[in-house]
Amino acid sequence: MCSIWCLLFHDELWTNKLFNTDCLSRTTLAVSCGYMIYDLITMIWYTGGVPLLTYIVHHLVVIIGDILILKHNFGMFYVHYKLLTELSTPLVNLRWFILRVGYSPKHPAFSLTTVALCVCFVTVRLIGSIPYWFWLHQSVTSLTDPDQIKTCEIYRPVFYVLSILLDCLNVAWSSILVDRAMRSLKDLKVHYRSKQQNGEIVTEHVHS
């Protein structure tokens, strides 16, 4: 929410997307970094296998990026833009909660949540990366201050690598989610067909 606020109401972040910053932006990023460190430490107790490895890579990329940005005030706008990708996280948690309360993965509530998660995930993490790279290229090529150009030349490669790693992870996760969403759509179709057939049977019994 703080990232949304910063992007909507902190015009200075838009004026110079690479170097402008403010107190709320830095505080939000520090809190986000702290949470990522906590989550990185605790996830080994509830995750394993390949998912754990991908989460570790994701969290390390985010933590390294956050620390560099906080230390050098480079790319504050872009890290807040990337934090918008977490808009899909509540739906991830909702899927987990639906299973925890005892519903089947084929239950309509779970299926609908999966489809919504897929749409949200692809929108904010894949489609949203298009303006990200456009703005980033525009910001890098439009710098005129010699000191900023020098700083950009130093940290741009790291910034690019971290961003590409995140995008690669998001592409991989999106492909998994799309597959699950397609299965969920089939489950929904089966559920509503069954419900419709049951309704027709009840109607026939009433008329008879």
Side-chain angles (χ1 to χ4, degrees), residues 104-121:
S104 164
K106 293 184 179 295
H107 191 277
F110 186 84
S111 298
L112 285 170
T113 304
T114 301
V115 173
L117 171 61
C118 178
V119 172
C120 182
F121 196 96

Side-chain angles (χ1 to χ4, degrees), residues 12-115:
E12 62 273 16
L13 291 180
W14 290 85
T15 304
N16 187 333
K17 297 182 179 69
L18 283 175
F19 289 96
N20 282 359
T21 184
D22 56 68
C23 181
L24 180 59
S25 297
R26 292 177 60 82
T27 302
T28 301
L29 186 56
V31 171
S32 173
C33 185
Y35 168 76
M36 284 294 177
I37 293 172
Y38 160 79
D39 202 38
L40 178 64
I41 295 171
T42 59
M43 70 170 58
I44 59 175
W45 280 281
Y46 57 85
T47 312
V50 175
L52 176 60
L53 292 176
T54 59
Y55 296 153
I56 288 174
V57 172
H58 171 268
H59 282 44
L60 286 175
V61 167
V62 172
I63 291 167
I64 292 169
D66 287 353
I67 292 172
L68 288 174
I69 291 167
L70 285 170
K71 184 177 180 181
H72 302 287
N73 286 328
F74 179 79
M76 187 63 72
F77 169 89
Y78 292 103
V79 74
H80 282 291
Y81 185 83
K82 277 293 186 183
L83 282 173
L84 295 182
T85 59
E86 297 303 325
L87 289 171
S88 60
T89 302
L91 291 170
V92 175
N93 296 333
L94 180 58
R95 288 175 81 248
W96 172 85
F97 180 77
I98 290 171
L99 293 178
R100 290 289 292 179
V101 297
Y103 286 106
S104 164
K106 293 184 179 295
H107 191 277
F110 186 84
S111 298
L112 285 170
T113 304
T114 301
V115 173

Side-chain angles (χ1 to χ4, degrees), residues 156-170:
R156 182 177 61 179
V158 177
F159 203 80
Y160 276 29
V161 168
L162 295 178
S163 297
I164 290 170
L165 281 173
L166 286 178
D167 283 349
C168 288
L169 285 172
N170 287 329

